[in-house]
């Protein structure tokens, strides 16, 4: 059942940009952003803004065991269901260009576990293969493989992992979703134009190597192993140095095509179970670059060609991207990353006729860790008692600086855990234990939708984040 929320302010995101760490900058800026985790607007207002956004609000997540998210037994990753299903405030944008988790869970995607099937809190590792038209061979479970180059057997047939998980999302979940490869393939002309502009700009810069570090994530060979030490530089041609060996691209058009051809492997695998990489080595785009290109391509999709104006986009970020405010802000807030994104957008504004300036609001999912499974009614009652007490206390005292507010919330959370912690389900407590994986040890105790505590929506977003942050700090240390 969709949670009822108050209406978003009629003036749109402009009215919600303050107070925030940065606020919106002038309209002359090609890129500006705010971190909603430091906003004093209520959670309900941000949810309403996400629902009403002209460009659909996105919840970017990795390809993997989304059937567990559908079933409401995904542990901490239940926030995906809360945002995209219960609140209908975000559309999944699936990143299928990650890496398989190694058997020791020390490398690759140990959160969504794409090289495993997870059921009832138990992980069954899949047998993996690499190869192509000339044949397949077994892959070592101890290595991490670029996801579009990994294959397995399902119902007796060989298929890529991308195809398997994409099929399961279509057949066994009710999520309506986009994928990075599909979006970039649908708007390949615009994606190529943007990549060429960024590569040409980098080629002419004195600090070219620094520029290229933010465009290139690494290089992938036919075995699926990513070389994160690979570099790009210009020497009359683009030179990709992979394990010391030079691989040359005659110009930026050629290199942009190579970037996108690798992405297109994952796109073809969505419908073709045996689509495979046909080259020897290929460059892999940085994840920040992929995200920005995808947002801009989706913006072109939903508006009239050539229309002016500014694009406003709300993006739900998980803990790595958006952090646990106020203690952590997430990787997107790093100054060096933001500085580079601003420079990219200045180039795109000057070089790409379809480009519109972007205002991005980063919405942390951390508050929705406070939405228990509907399987545990006691959790819902107790969490709501905590939120009601915090709401009343912060309103009465009008505690000013966020650090002071956070200290007050920490004290309230500590008392609440001492008083009621033994009444809470292990499934709920595990969300705050530091285990960010879909592999929850108590998954067999939960099923169905999550439930939003009545007092969560009225909390200021910064205070809701503080509650989740305080629970994380306190429970992980007990």
């Amino acid at each position: 059942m969709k949670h009822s929320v108050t209406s978003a302010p009629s003036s749109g995101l402009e009215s919600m940009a303050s107070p925030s760490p940065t606020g919106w900058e002038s309209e002359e800026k090609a890129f500006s952003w705010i971190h909603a985790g430091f906003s004093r607007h209520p959670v309900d207002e941000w949810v309403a803004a996400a629902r009403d956004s002209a460009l659909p609000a996105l919840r970017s997540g990795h390809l993997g065991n989304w059937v567990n998210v559908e079933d409401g037994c995904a542990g901490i990753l239940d926030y995906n269901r809360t945002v995209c299903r219960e609140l209908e405030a975000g559309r999944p944008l699936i990143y299928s260009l990650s890496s398989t988790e190694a058997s020791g869970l020390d490398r690759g995607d140990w959160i969504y576990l794409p090289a495993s099937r997870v059921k009832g809190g138990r992980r069954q590792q899949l047998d993996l293969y690499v190869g192509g038209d000339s044949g397949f061979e077994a892959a070592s479970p101890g290595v991490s493989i670029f996801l579009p180059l990994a294959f397995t057997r399902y119902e007796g047939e060989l298929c890529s992992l991308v195809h398997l998980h994409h099929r399961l999302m279509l057949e066994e979940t009710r999520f309506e979703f986009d994928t990075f490869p599909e979006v970039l393939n649908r708007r390949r002309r615009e994606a190529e134009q943007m990549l060429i502009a960024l590569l040409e700009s980098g080629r002419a810069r004195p600090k070219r190597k620094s520029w290229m570090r933010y465009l290139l994530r690494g290089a992938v060979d036919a075995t699926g192993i990513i070389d994160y030490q690979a570099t790009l530089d210009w020497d009359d041609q683009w030179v990709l140095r992979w394990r010391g060996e030079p691989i040359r691209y005659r110009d930026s058009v050629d290199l942009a095509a190579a970037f996108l051809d690798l992405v297109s492997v994952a796109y073809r695998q969505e419908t073709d179970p045996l689509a495979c990489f046909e080259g020897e080595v290929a460059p892999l785009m940085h994840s920040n670059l992929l995200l920005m290109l995808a947002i801009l391509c989706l913006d072109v999709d939903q508006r009239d060609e050539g229309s002016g104006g500014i694009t406003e986009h709300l993006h739900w970020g998980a803990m790595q991207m958006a952090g646990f405010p106020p203690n952590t802000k997430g990787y997107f807030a790093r100054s060096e990353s933001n500085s580079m994104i601003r420079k990219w957008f200045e180039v795109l504004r000057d070089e790409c006729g379809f480009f519109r300036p972007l205002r991005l609001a980063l919405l942390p999912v951390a508050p929705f860790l406070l939405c228990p499974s509907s399987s545990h009614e006691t959790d819902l009652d107790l969490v709501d008692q905590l939120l009601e007490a915090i709401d009343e206390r912060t309103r009465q005292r009008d505690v000013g600086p966020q650090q002071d507010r956070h200290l007050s919330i920490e004290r309230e959370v500590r008392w609440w855990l001492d008083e009621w912690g033994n009444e809470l389900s292990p499934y709920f407590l595990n969300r705050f234990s530091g285990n960010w994986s879909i592999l929850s040890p108590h998954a067999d105790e939960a099923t169905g939708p999550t439930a939003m505590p009545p007092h969560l929506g009225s909390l200021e977003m910064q205070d809701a984040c503080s509650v989740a942050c305080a629970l994380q700090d306190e429970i992980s240390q007990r």
Side-chain angles (χ1 to χ4, degrees), residues 3-4 44 380-381 383-385 387 451-459:
H3 172 68
S4 176
D44 268 355
L380 179 62
D381 293 339
V383 171
D384 197 52
Q385 288 177 25
L387 300 182
M452 185 160 171
H455 286 88
L456 178 58
S458 60
L459 276 185

Side-chain angles (χ1 to χ4, degrees), residues 296 298-307 311 354-356:
L296 294 173
L298 284 167
D299 177 49
V300 174
D301 265 353
Q302 63 88 42
R303 60 181 165 90
D304 296 330
E305 189 171 349
S307 63
T311 295
F354 57 85
F355 174 82
R356 295 199 308 189

